[in-house]
Amino acid sequence: MNEEYDVIVLGTGLTECILSGIMSVKGKKVLHMDRNSYYGGDSASITPLEDLYKRFSLPGTPPESMGKGRDWNVDLIPKFLMANGQLVRMLLITQVTRYLDFKVIEGSFVYKKGSIYKVPSTETEALASSLMGLFEKRRFRKFLVFVANFDENDPKTMEGVDPNKTTMREVYKKFDLGQDVIDFTGHAIALYRTDDYLDQPCLDTINRIKLYSESLARYGKSPYLYPLYGLGELPQGFARLSAIYGGTYMLNKPIEEIIVENGKIVGVKSEGEIARCKQLICDPSYIMDRAKVVGKVIRVICILSHPIKNTSDSNSCQIIIPQNQVNRKHDIYVCMISYAHNVAAQGKYIAIASTTVETNDPEKEIKPALDLLEPIEQKFVSISDLYAPTDLGTDSQIFISRSYDATTHFETTCDDIKDIYKRMTGTDFDFAEMERKKNDIFGDGGDQ
Ligand SMILES: *[C@@H]1O[C@H](CO)[C@@H](O)[C@H](O)[C@H]1NC(C)=O
Ligand SMILES: *[C@@H]1O[C@H](CO)[C@@H](O)[C@H](O)[C@H]1NC(C)=O
């Protein structure tokens, strides 16, 4: 390892592995190290189940009712992929899809006044939904048609709405939509975490609703996909891509020092040896003094022996509890997957509830989600700080990723990747540059 690299990457979280893959494909000489003996860092999937018990310091070993420990792959960060989203695009253009198998999540639900309902996002579903009264349905249907036809380059489609000026609050008003419809549209379809978007120009919201509808249209059931064997497969897939293009991978490498001279990165010391580099990418845990805490997330991993009530016995689903419905500022999320995804023993389900922490009693904040999951066989609670870089790398050439936030999809992670890419190279990330071929995530005749 006493060599000179273009880029050294520390930590094998998804963000780091995608960037490492991109840099290798672009012909950079990459060295990628992790202090852990496994891939994934904070975004790992833990196997066997015994390791999850150890990680959360639970006394004893899993009871026999949990089946074989090796059958479990439990994600630490709950997220799904939007079928038409940026991560799927990255997987397709880099052909990392060939190392992975995906399943469509069976349903997307939203909480209203104590009960859960399927999220309607097409005209037909809206008309069939018990979430709204008859007149509300008609108005919502009109709104969906407006959004579907909206083209920011064609004023004829805008019905007097200025994408750069009209706020979303004004658009809802134009269609005379009530509070409950606004709640599920903003939070379960446009996937905002707070209500701040209401007073911003409507274009971003319109594009988010389109992303949801187009993702849903792709495979039906829901707009979300999930890889068999857990999310930990994603960083490993991109690590393989990097390796194919000459990237060097080393796990179990303690990092003794990140060497900076005259304010600029020169290399990394591990086990007494120094590897030199021009640029460094790492997660915040490797370089705490160049990052700051920007919030906290609570995540509760719950093992169940039953599907979630009122989800038509789905073996996978998402539930969003809009903040307004439970008097909060941030939404609460539930992502549920099961043995059907090779992440749990036969007959078992894993539901992970998460939200951004607002008070000194986060467990109480997340209770509305846990109430939907009862009876819960085993709970694993974590409260994590979220970090963001204070050093953007302009002078130091050190590029630090952001922690994984409470959102249940990868769109913000991809935004972070594109942002780091731009700061590293001075140019926008261009999907086309990495275009290879193959245009369906299930390949030829794959299982959905
Ligand atoms: C489930 O459905 C039943 C019957 O429609 C309803 O009474 C109950 O409130 C629902 N519970 C939840 C959590 O959605
Ligand atoms: C909105 O802003 C963008 C970027 O500034 C501009 O290209 C576009 O023409 C504007 N659209 C309208 C309808 O004014």
Side-chain angles (χ1 to χ4, degrees):
M1 95 169 230
N2 272 319
E3 276 185 67
E4 170 121 19
Y5 295 87
D6 293 316
V7 183
I8 292 181
V9 187
L10 302 180
T12 51
L14 180 61
T15 308
E16 287 72 33
C17 287
I18 292 182
L19 282 163
S20 163
I22 293 171
M23 290 300 160
S24 300
V25 171
K26 280 181 74 76
K28 301 283 185 196
K29 190 171 173 191
V30 176
L31 171 64
H32 200 150
M33 295 187 279
D34 194 314
R35 64 166 91 84
N36 297 314
S37 58
Y38 54 86
Y39 281 93
D42 286 345
S43 63
S45 304
I46 303 299
T47 185
L49 189 59
E50 287 77 4
D51 283 10
L52 190 69
Y53 274 63
K54 268 187 231 141
R55 195 179 178 101
F56 283 83
S57 306
L58 259 57
T61 50
E64 222 155 90
S65 62
M66 296 290 183
K68 279 208 296 288
R70 286 267 155 220
D71 287 346
W72 295 81
N73 287 288
V74 184
D75 300 329
L76 296 175
I77 308 277
K79 283 187 190 288
F80 293 149
L81 292 82
M82 301 285 297
N84 237 21
Q86 304 182 78
L87 181 54
V88 167
R89 237 180 124 190
M90 285 189 195
L91 285 161
L92 289 170
I93 54 169
T94 55
Q95 291 188 27
V96 169
T97 40
R98 64 172 62 160
Y99 312 128
L100 301 161
D101 281 311
F102 287 90
K103 269 197 154 144
V104 180
I105 294 297
E106 292 192 340
S108 170
F109 298 86
V110 63
Y111 177 99
K112 183 189 134 190
K113 301 194 171 81
S115 296
I116 59 177
Y117 299 85
K118 191 156 194 324
V119 177
S121 57
T122 62
E123 295 173 51
T124 328
E125 279 192 347
L127 290 174
S129 175
S130 55
L131 194 53
M132 292 167 276
L134 184 63
F135 296 110
E136 188 95 75
K137 276 180 195 171
R138 289 199 188 142
R139 293 192 290 263
F140 182 59
R141 183 177 163 274
K142 262 188 156 163
F143 167 76
L144 286 177
V145 172
F146 163 76
V147 169
N149 292 334
F150 195 93
D151 175 354
E152 60 183 295
N153 301 312
D154 181 1
K156 283 200 296 293
T157 65
M158 297 180 185
E159 301 184 19
V161 169
D162 180 335
N164 298 330
K165 287 213 185 77
T166 313
T167 65
M168 202 54 210
R169 196 185 292 282
E170 290 163 338
V171 175
Y172 287 141
K173 197 151 178 241
K174 172 180 162 71
F175 288 90
D176 199 16
L177 300 178
Q179 190 57 47
D180 287 339
V181 177
I182 292 176
D183 277 352
F184 78 72
T185 305
H187 296 266
I189 299 180
L191 303 174
Y192 284 108
R193 283 169 281 176
T194 69
D195 262 350
D196 296 347
Y197 77 97
L198 283 172
D199 294 308
Q200 282 155 14
C202 60
L203 183 60
D204 186 48
T205 310
I206 290 175
N207 284 334
R208 281 166 174 248
I209 297 172
K210 279 177 188 277
L211 171 64
Y212 189 100
S213 314
E214 286 161 11
S215 293
L216 182 72
R218 203 131 178 201
Y219 303 113
K221 293 186 192 172
S222 89
Y224 304 110
L225 301 173
Y226 185 82
L228 294 185
Y229 300 100
L231 296 177
E233 295 295 297
L234 295 167
Q236 289 190 66
F238 284 100
R240 282 175 74 170
L241 173 74
S242 174
I244 288 170
Y245 283 85
T248 305
Y249 270 77
M250 296 181 179
L251 295 180
N252 252 327
K253 289 291 277 184
I255 304 303
E256 281 130 30
E257 194 185 345
I258 291 173
I259 306 163
V260 177
E261 279 170 15
N262 301 321
K264 187 171 183 302
I265 184 74
V266 292
V268 172
K269 187 170 164 192
S270 170
E271 299 180 298
E273 287 182 285
I274 293 173
R276 302 177 70 84
C277 64
K278 301 190 185 90
Q279 294 184 308
L280 179 78
I281 300 170
C282 63
D283 75 47
S285 71
Y286 285 87
I287 196 156
M288 294 293 217
D289 57 332
R290 289 172 196 260
K292 62 168 188 257
V293 175
V294 291
K296 266 187 204 310
V297 181
I298 177 169
R299 299 186 173 99
V300 184
I301 300 171
C302 302
I303 295 180
L304 319 176
S305 294
H306 57 87
I308 300 174
K309 272 187 235 85
N310 296 8
T311 61
S312 322
D313 287 346
S314 301
N315 61 31
S316 57
C317 67
Q318 180 182 75
I319 303 170
I320 293 180
I321 306 181
Q323 32 106 357
N324 242 332
Q325 294 286 329
V326 283
N327 293 317
R328 292 173 50 75
K329 291 193 192 67
H330 297 86
D331 297 345
I332 307 176
Y333 305 101
V334 176
C335 283
M336 196 268 280
I337 47 191
S338 66
Y339 60 94
H341 308 85
N342 305 357
V343 296
Q346 188 60 33
K348 299 290 182 188
Y349 300 76
I350 303 172
I352 309 184
S354 60
T355 191
T356 306
V357 172
E358 296 174 5
T359 70
N360 289 328
D361 192 357
E363 291 202 50
K364 188 170 163 210
E365 291 180 51
I366 205 152
K367 191 168 177 300
L370 302 188
D371 288 346
L372 300 174
L373 309 178
E374 292 292 351
I376 298 168
E377 218 168 319
Q378 183 64 59
K379 264 194 315 201
F380 306 84
V381 182
S382 71
I383 296 162
S384 326
D385 284 329
L386 293 181
Y387 290 91
T390 48
D391 175 1
L392 294 181
T394 320
D395 299 319
S396 66
Q397 293 297 300
I398 296 174
F399 302 93
I400 306 163
S401 59
R402 303 176 72 93
S403 307
Y404 301 96
D405 60 31
T407 59
T408 52
H409 53 73
F410 286 104
E411 297 307 300
T412 51
T413 306
C414 290
D415 290 341
D416 189 31
I417 290 165
K418 285 170 25 187
D419 182 44
I420 292 176
Y421 179 90
K422 180 156 191 189
R423 282 187 274 128
M424 285 182 76
T425 64
T427 54
D428 285 320
F429 177 70
D430 181 0
F431 284 96
E433 208 178 312
M434 308 193 64
E435 187 93 51
R436 291 164 84 189
K437 46 183 183 305
K438 201 172 184 191
N439 51 25
D440 189 288
I441 198 151
F442 295 109
D444 306 320
D447 171 34
Q448 295 197 15

